[in-house]
Amino acid sequence: IVVSNDEVNAVIKTIEDQVISSQAKITPDFSQAPSITYSYLHLQSIMFNLLTNSIKYRSPGRKPEVKITTSIKNGFTCLSVSDKGIGIDLEKHGDKIFKAFQTFQSGSKEKGLGLYLIKLQTELLNGKIEVKSKLGKGTTFNIYMNDNPSLS
């Protein structure tokens, strides 16, 4: 598929109430890699989960800011979703971050399935995912998509 603001807008439409109530600013930039050969449904699910997490785990006192970009890295198309949220303590939680039923916020009502599903969907199509995060600064998820058309 050709990645455009339409794909992002379709996801934003499904979470419109969260975007409006949090006053989230979502900025897409697909100029470095405007085309991805990938499952449309998986791509929508990945963006949905990452955007809702960026809004849910926003930093108190700051409006959520999310950047969505694409690039080419090491033969993969990389979808990056970066926020300026509360961040994740990767030293403490790094080994559990993509496991099912894991949440890292005390008192959270979440099920802990979003990141697990993203990892599963990415790996099913021979891709990979990585996370970079700093507490109080934000988080970036890089999803490396294998552009082999026979896999999508």
Side-chain angles (χ1 to χ4, degrees):
I1 66 173
V2 173
V3 182
S4 70
N5 290 348
D6 292 342
E7 281 74 37
V8 175
N9 289 335
V11 174
I12 291 172
K13 187 79 175 150
T14 65
I15 59 170
E16 188 171 36
D17 290 343
Q18 292 174 39
V19 172
I20 291 170
S21 67
S22 68
Q23 299 179 329
K25 179 182 177 185
I26 301 170
T27 308
D29 178 1
F30 305 120
S31 59
Q32 290 186 36
S35 171
I36 298 175
T37 305
Y38 207 68
S39 162
Y40 178 79
L41 292 175
H42 285 168
L43 186 61
Q44 291 290 307
S45 174
I46 288 167
M47 284 197 290
F48 172 85
N49 280 301
L50 291 178
L51 287 175
T52 56
N53 280 356
S54 291
I55 292 170
K56 273 186 245 174
Y57 302 113
R58 63 187 176 266
S59 191
R62 279 195 310 236
K63 295 176 186 173
E65 288 183 44
V66 185
K67 291 184 181 176
I68 305 168
T69 60
T70 53
S71 59
I72 304 296
K73 294 181 181 177
N74 301 323
F76 288 87
T77 301
C78 181
L79 174 74
S80 296
V81 178
S82 299
D83 65 46
K84 294 183 178 181
I86 60 174
I88 303 165
D89 184 342
L90 293 178
E91 286 189 27
K92 186 175 182 181
H93 302 296
D95 60 334
K96 301 179 278 189
I97 195 163
F98 296 113
K99 295 196 177 182
F101 309 113
Q102 297 295 310
T103 58
F104 310 112
Q105 299 301 315
S106 60
S108 176
K109 297 179 219 163
E110 301 305 316
K111 305 276 188 274
L113 289 174
L115 295 177
Y116 169 77
L117 289 173
I118 291 170
K119 185 175 192 300
L120 181 66
Q121 291 167 334
T122 301
E123 290 178 350
L124 282 172
L125 296 175
N126 295 324
K128 58 186 176 179
I129 184 170
E130 69 178 19
V131 60
K132 297 176 184 174
S133 189
K134 290 189 178 183
L135 284 173
K137 301 288 182 186
T139 303
T140 298
F141 285 94
N142 292 315
I143 295 90
Y144 295 90
M145 300 178 205
N146 187 335
D147 278 346
N148 183 338
S150 66
L151 297 174
S152 19

